Amino acid sequence: MENSVLTVAKFGGTSVANHDAMSKCAAIVAADNGIRVVVVSASAGVTNLLVELAHTAMTPQQRDGLIEQVKGIQFAILADLGQPKDVADKLDTLLMQLEELAHHEELLHQGELKDALLSLGERMSSLLFSEVLNQRGVTARNFDVRKVLRTDSEFGQAAPQLQSIADAAQSLMTPELADTVLVTQGFVGADDQGRTTTLGRGGSDFTAALLAEALHADVCQIWTDVVGVYTTDPRITAAARPLPELSFEEAAEMANFGAKVLHPATMEPALRQDIKVFVGSSREPEKGGTWIMKDCTHEPPYRAITRRKEQVMVTVKTPQMVHAQGFLQSVFTIIAKHNLSVDLVTTSEIAVSFTLDNPANSVSERLNRETLQELREFCEVEVESGYDLITVVGNNMHSAAGVSSKIFASINAFNLRMICYGANPHNMSFLVDEKTSGEVVTVLHRALFE
Ligand code: ADP
Ligand code: ASP
Ligand code: MG
């Protein structure tokens, strides 16, 4: 890795899961003088426990059981650090806040309390990781990201306010970077009243890219548990292989369509400021990884296959749709009002189908009763679940002959729903039954990449 380029490095949940994993990350930071800002996720498993506490009704005893699990993860790291008193005291303070929030009567009903609780995962891991760096001889300080990462007040899915972030980062972080590595929290922000917010699951990648943008960094590194971005999720097929390079657009499409290795919004700041993004494995940094940049040497028609699980397909029908004006507008006004993000849309004369994401552990429930009720007031609504969304990401697929026939020929044994191709020449998407989606990806991968 090149030195003296200003780098923001993000370490994901498995990379900071325990002391051993954190030590590998510390070695990466110590070896690269350009890394001045470190963004960490919560230790693996902690956010899931906090989400469960924040969203599920349970007995006080069950709550205590989950809190004990969180404590177990954090105390194990503290023990491996030799229980330094100042760190132990700060961790105790955070854990006291956790207990208080976890038992708060209003927790299940107030986004503000939920986000305060969810933020504690990153606040604990960043405290512990800065001590790991200090013990390794790196001058590092735990920095509260809420001083700079200003967002709106959409708890659970807050949107960043770019100008405020840039101003605060430059005045509060930049002056320290010459002699200190700042270790800060991914996923967490604060609104203009200082209330804690969060950016949505997997949001630490986005935080790293936002800080890289605000600080005019040259590089944003995403250190995770795989050696880069692969042709498809290596958990689906062992034939998946890492890609040495990707364009911003390809990576953005992949992230959008379910390549979990990058939060969907990660590429936006990188693209705006032309910041190179590197994805690699903190366990095996010597293996290199993927460089994501503006111009690649090679932009093939097929680049990767992504899968997004747990899609919900909504079909709205009205007998009056024939020549009816304003139907689509009414449907999409309701969707926009409820902040739902629609991915695929197909229309016919009397019906519109669209898909929504419905991931487990999502911070906000996407398709709620209220939305359905509003739609049902003027049309028939059918909701089907059990689908996964498969996308082939590539380049200019519309201009090469045989691109789509190759895709469809390879998977003609499977039933495809809602095929979307054409609106964007860089991808083709369709839904398949969730029970067959792994097989579909494997077969498609063989046809396109092996
Ligand atoms: P982190 O905790 O470091 O943010 P994530 O679990 O969020 O890690 O993302 C890494 C995971 O993303 C990998 O373990 C892999 O299973 C999954 N993944 C999905 N699609 C891809 C892909 N195309 N390339 C690499 N990893 C992928
Ligand atoms: N800890 C958060 C999550 O698990 C954010 C992240 O890891 O990126 O979703
Ligand atoms: Mg992630």
Side-chain angles (χ1 to χ4, degrees):
M1 188 79 35
E2 251 178 286
N3 277 352
S4 74
V5 284
L6 178 56
T7 300
V8 174
K10 175 256 172 177
F11 296 98
T14 46
S15 302
V16 294
N18 51 46
H19 185 264
D20 202 35
M22 283 189 175
S23 302
K24 296 197 167 76
C25 302
I28 292 171
V29 178
D32 182 351
N33 197 32
I35 298 177
R36 309 310 301 162
V37 176
V38 168
V39 173
V40 291
S41 290
S43 301
V46 169
T47 308
N48 281 353
L49 291 165
L50 297 175
V51 167
E52 205 176 332
L53 284 166
H55 286 266
T56 323
M58 60 183 99
T59 63
Q61 290 73 18
Q62 286 168 322
R63 286 192 177 273
D64 287 335
L66 295 179
I67 295 168
E68 284 310 310
Q69 288 185 53
V70 173
K71 283 186 181 170
I73 294 169
Q74 310 294 233
F75 284 152
I77 302 173
L78 186 71
D80 285 337
L81 284 165
Q83 311 270 11
K85 176 146 182 1
D86 56 331
V87 181
D89 289 349
K90 286 178 187 157
L91 185 60
D92 277 346
T93 308
L94 293 171
L95 285 166
M96 262 152 54
Q97 286 180 36
L98 196 155
E99 299 226 21
E100 213 172 287
L101 286 161
H103 289 288
H104 195 294
E105 286 179 349
E106 288 300 308
L107 175 64
L108 299 186
H109 314 291
Q110 282 189 26
E112 183 182 344
L113 295 171
K114 289 183 206 286
D115 274 3
L117 179 64
L118 293 185
S119 75
L120 286 161
E122 271 72 8
R123 288 163 63 200
M124 294 189 287
S125 62
S126 58
L127 169 72
L128 296 165
F129 188 62
S130 24
E131 177 64 15
V132 174
L133 283 175
N134 285 329
Q135 292 194 2
R136 231 201 125 89
V138 177
T139 309
R141 187 167 83 75
N142 188 14
F143 179 88
D144 189 341
V145 82
R146 294 172 298 179
K147 291 192 214 153
V148 301
L149 214 122
R150 174 67 62 81
T151 68
D152 64 11
S153 307
E154 192 66 43
F155 297 107
Q157 199 70 47
Q161 296 183 340
L162 302 181
Q163 193 55 53
S164 307
I165 295 172
D167 294 343
Q170 281 158 28
S171 72
L172 300 175
M173 297 178 90
T174 302
E176 290 211 46
L177 301 184
D179 45 30
T180 310
V181 173
L182 295 180
V183 180
T184 196
Q185 306 80 36
F187 176 59
V188 175
D191 71 2
D192 57 5
Q193 294 171 51
R195 296 177 300 181
T196 303
T197 56
T198 60
L199 305 177
R201 294 303 307 264
S204 298
D205 304 323
F206 190 25
T207 305
L210 286 166
L211 292 179
E213 176 182 38
L215 295 164
H216 301 298
D218 305 287
V219 173
C220 176
Q221 298 175 340
I222 306 288
W223 293 100
T224 180
D225 60 356
V226 281
V227 188
V229 181
Y230 284 55
T231 45
T232 194
D233 186 343
R235 286 181 211 215
I236 303 177
T237 165
R241 52 186 163 75
L243 296 158
E245 58 166 35
L246 276 177
S247 69
F248 285 141
E249 289 77 12
E250 289 168 332
E253 293 282 341
M254 288 183 71
N256 256 316
F257 283 101
K260 185 175 169 245
V261 64
L262 293 170
H263 177 276
T266 313
M267 299 318 299
E268 291 167 13
L271 224 151
R272 282 194 294 264
Q273 285 270 329
D274 197 5
I275 299 164
K276 288 196 180 110
V277 176
F278 173 81
V279 181
S281 161
S282 63
R283 260 178 294 180
E284 303 174 296
E286 69 288 349
K287 288 203 170 159
T290 304
W291 279 100
I292 306 170
M293 53 206 159
K294 199 162 159 192
D295 299 307
C296 292
T297 45
H298 175 55
E299 295 193 345
Y302 312 113
R303 182 64 103 176
I305 305 165
T306 60
R307 173 175 71 174
R308 207 151 79 185
K309 294 176 77 70
E310 291 179 64
Q311 302 299 292
V312 171
M313 179 162 112
V314 184
T315 303
V316 292
K317 274 189 212 161
T318 167
Q320 291 117 43
M321 191 177 167
V322 190
H323 310 303
Q325 283 178 349
F327 174 72
L328 281 181
Q329 193 187 353
S330 316
V331 170
F332 285 102
T333 304
I334 294 173
I335 287 167
K337 184 177 131 195
H338 291 275
N339 244 334
L340 298 176
S341 136
V342 166
D343 296 311
L344 305 190
V345 184
T346 56
T347 58
S348 76
E349 192 121 16
I350 56 148
V352 186
S353 296
F354 53 86
T355 63
L356 301 167
D357 221 12
N358 185 41
N361 286 331
S362 62
V363 172
S364 57
E365 191 188 356
R366 301 293 156 103
L367 188 66
N368 55 30
R369 206 172 296 156
E370 214 181 312
T371 318
L372 282 174
Q373 214 164 353
E374 280 184 44
L375 286 169
R376 287 200 168 112
E377 271 163 29
F378 71 102
C379 54
E380 282 170 38
V381 185
E382 192 187 347
V383 181
E384 293 173 68
S385 51
Y387 291 109
D388 288 352
L389 173 67
I390 310 290
T391 303
V392 179
V393 174
N395 294 281
N396 299 313
M397 294 165 104
H398 61 320
S399 58
V403 167
S404 55
S405 59
K406 190 165 176 183
I407 293 174
F408 292 126
S410 69
I411 49 172
N412 62 4
F414 300 93
N415 186 21
L416 314 182
R417 299 282 307 264
M418 269 194 88
I419 300 165
C420 286
Y421 176 47
N424 176 342
H426 308 306
N427 68 55
M428 174 190 286
S429 296
F430 48 85
L431 292 179
V432 292
D433 184 329
E434 63 187 4
K435 291 191 216 70
T436 61
S437 71
E439 216 185 324
V440 170
V441 172
T442 304
V443 171
L444 199 49
H445 191 273
R446 198 174 302 137
L448 304 185
F449 300 111
E450 293 166 40

